[in-house]
Amino acid sequence: MTLLPKLRFTILDPNHLSVLRGIIGACLPFLILSPGPAIHLAAFVLFVIGAVTDYWDGWIARQYKLESAFGKWVDPFMDKILILAPLAAFANLGFFSLWWLVPIFAREIVVTFCRTAWLLEGKSFGAEKLGKLKFVFQTGSACLAFAIFVLWDYASTASLSRWLAPALKPVLAITLVLTLFSGFSFLWNQREHFSSQHFCKVVLAAGVGLLPKAPGTWGSLVGVLFVLLTAWNTWLYLGVLGFVAVAGELAFRRLEDKTDPDPQFVVVDEAAGIMVTFALIPVTWITIPLGFLLFRLFDVKKPFPIKSLERIPGYWGIMADDIGAGFYAWIILFLFFA
C-alpha cells in the first residue's frame, strides 16, 4: 500500500504512460519518413514499447486502483495516435492508398468525439470486445507494415520483406472491417445518449465552444484541423464540410433552449466557415495562417452583406454569416494563391 502514493507521481502512473504512448506515436511518422535503417529500426522499437505500455498502464490502473475518468479517455485516445500516425506515414510511402485509412480515421474521430462528450456528461464506458479485437488487428497491421519496412532496409532480409508484403492489404482489409463494425456497434449501443442536451451542445460547440474564452477562435482552429486532414482530396474535403454542417443542424433541432438566436458556444459554424475559406486553395505555411486571420477578420467585422445574413432564422442563420466570411476570405486567397 505504501507504493500507491508514489505511483501517482511517477512514470508508473497509468495516465503518464498513456501520454507517453501518444508522444511516441506522434514522433513515429518523422522517424519513418527519415532516411536510414537505424532510424527505421528505432521507430519500430519505439512502436513496440508504446504497444507494451498499453498493456502496462491498464495493469497498473487495475492493480493499484488508479482508474479514473481521465484515464478512460486518454488511454484509447493515445492508442489511436500510436496506431494511426505510423499507418499514415506508411500510406505516404506508398505501402497502400490513403483511402484505406479514411474510414478508419473517420471512425476513430467520431467515436472519440462521442466518447469524450459522454464522459464529460458523467457517463462511463468500458472497452467493448469488438473494440479490443479491432485494436489487436490495427496493431498487427502496423507491426506488419513495420516489419516489411525495416526488413527491406537490409540486403540479407529484403527477400523476407518481399514475401511478407502481399499479406499487408488482406490484414488491412480485415482491420478496416473490424474498425467500422466495432464503431457502428459502439454507436448503436449508446444511441440513447445522442439525444441528451449536453451532447447536442458539444456537437454545436465542435468540442471546444464550451471553453470559457475565445470559443470562436477555438472553433476556427478545429476547422483548420479538418482542412489539414482532408485537403489532399476535394471530394473528401467537401464531404467533411457537408457532414459538419448537417451534424450541427441535427444537433440544433434537438436543442431545447433556443431563446438565444446565436448562442456563444455554437462554433460549428466557424469550423464550417473556415473550411469554405480553404476550398481549392493550396495548403501551405503561408495560406493557413493568412486564411485563418482573414476569416476571423471578416467573421468579426461582418462586412456587407454578411451582417444581414444573421437575420435568417434558426440554425442556417447562424451558419450563413460564417459561410459568408469564409467566402470573402476565400476570394482573397484564390486571387493570390490558387
Side-chain angles (χ1 to χ4, degrees):
M1 294 298 292
T2 57
L3 187 61
L4 182 56
K6 295 180 181 179
L7 284 170
R8 294 182 184 275
F9 304 101
T10 70
I11 192 63
L12 296 179
D13 184 291
N15 293 338
H16 293 174
L17 288 172
S18 296
V19 172
L20 175 63
R21 184 162 64 256
I23 293 172
I24 289 174
C27 293
L28 289 178
F30 299 98
L31 297 176
I32 292 170
L33 298 175
S34 298
I39 296 177
H40 299 161
L41 183 59
F44 182 45
V45 171
L46 283 174
F47 175 78
V48 172
I49 292 172
V52 170
T53 65
D54 183 51
Y55 169 79
W56 194 8
D57 63 5
W59 181 86
I60 291 174
R62 291 187 298 271
Q63 185 75 11
Y64 296 100
K65 303 187 186 305
L66 293 174
E67 294 166 310
S68 64
F70 177 73
K72 291 178 181 179
W73 174 81
V74 75
D75 178 59
F77 183 73
M78 296 305 169
D79 288 346
K80 292 167 178 47
I81 296 176
L82 178 70
I83 300 299
L84 297 181
L87 285 178
F90 288 128
N92 184 267
L93 290 173
F95 278 47
F96 42 80
S97 169
L98 270 172
W99 283 107
W100 282 92
L101 297 184
V102 168
I104 295 177
F105 268 80
R107 182 269 189 203
E108 301 297 1
I109 290 172
V110 170
V111 168
T112 300
F113 180 88
C114 292
R115 182 188 290 273
T116 302
W118 293 328
L119 283 173
L120 290 173
E121 197 174 355
K123 297 178 173 64
S124 181
F125 308 97
E128 297 183 349
K129 290 183 179 179
L130 268 176
K132 292 180 179 179
L133 183 61
K134 174 267 301 183
F135 180 71
V136 169
F137 270 85
Q138 285 183 347
T139 305
S141 297
C143 282
L144 181 57
F146 262 116
I148 295 168
F149 184 55
V150 172
L151 291 172
W152 182 258
D153 282 331
Y154 302 93
S156 59
T157 56
S159 59
L160 181 57
S161 175
R162 288 192 293 269
W163 184 78
L164 288 173
L168 181 58
K169 286 187 178 178
V171 172
L172 198 59
I174 296 172
T175 300
L176 176 59
V177 171
L178 283 172
T179 299
L180 293 177
F181 193 71
S182 64
F184 286 131
S185 174
F186 173 80
L187 296 176
W188 177 257
N189 290 338
Q190 310 303 331
R191 61 190 181 279
E192 63 186 42
H193 302 314
F194 283 111
S195 59
S196 75
Q197 290 300 293
H198 176 81
F199 181 74
C200 292
K201 286 183 177 181
V202 172
V203 172
L204 290 166
V208 296
L210 297 173
L211 294 173
K213 293 184 179 180
T217 300
W218 286 110
S220 301
L221 289 172
V222 169
V224 170
L225 177 61
F226 289 151
V227 169
L228 294 174
L229 289 174
T230 61
W232 59 277
N233 184 274
T234 301
W235 290 110
L236 177 63
Y237 190 97
L238 295 175
V240 171
L241 173 57
F243 176 81
V244 169
V246 172
E249 159 68 10
L250 294 175
F252 191 80
R253 285 184 187 179
R254 293 177 177 270
L255 197 64
E256 294 175 357
D257 183 7
K258 297 179 182 176
T259 53
D260 186 347
D262 190 0
Q264 188 177 19
F265 69 84
V266 177
V267 297
V268 69
D269 49 331
E270 268 85 1
I274 206 160
M275 290 193 73
V276 171
T277 297
F278 292 105
L280 304 177
I281 301 297
V283 174
T284 68
W285 292 109
I286 297 175
T287 58
I288 285 290
L290 180 60
F292 179 83
L293 292 174
L294 286 171
F295 171 74
R296 293 302 297 150
L297 175 66
F298 289 127
D299 189 29
V300 172
K301 296 299 183 182
K302 301 187 187 303
F304 179 83
I306 295 176
K307 184 68 176 177
S308 61
L309 295 176
E310 291 183 316
R311 299 171 190 163
I312 299 173
Y315 171 77
W316 293 109
I318 298 173
M319 183 68 71
D321 68 307
D322 291 275
I323 298 298
F327 182 66
Y328 272 23
W330 176 84
I331 291 174
I332 295 176
L333 292 181
F334 184 81
L335 289 175
F336 288 95
F337 297 100

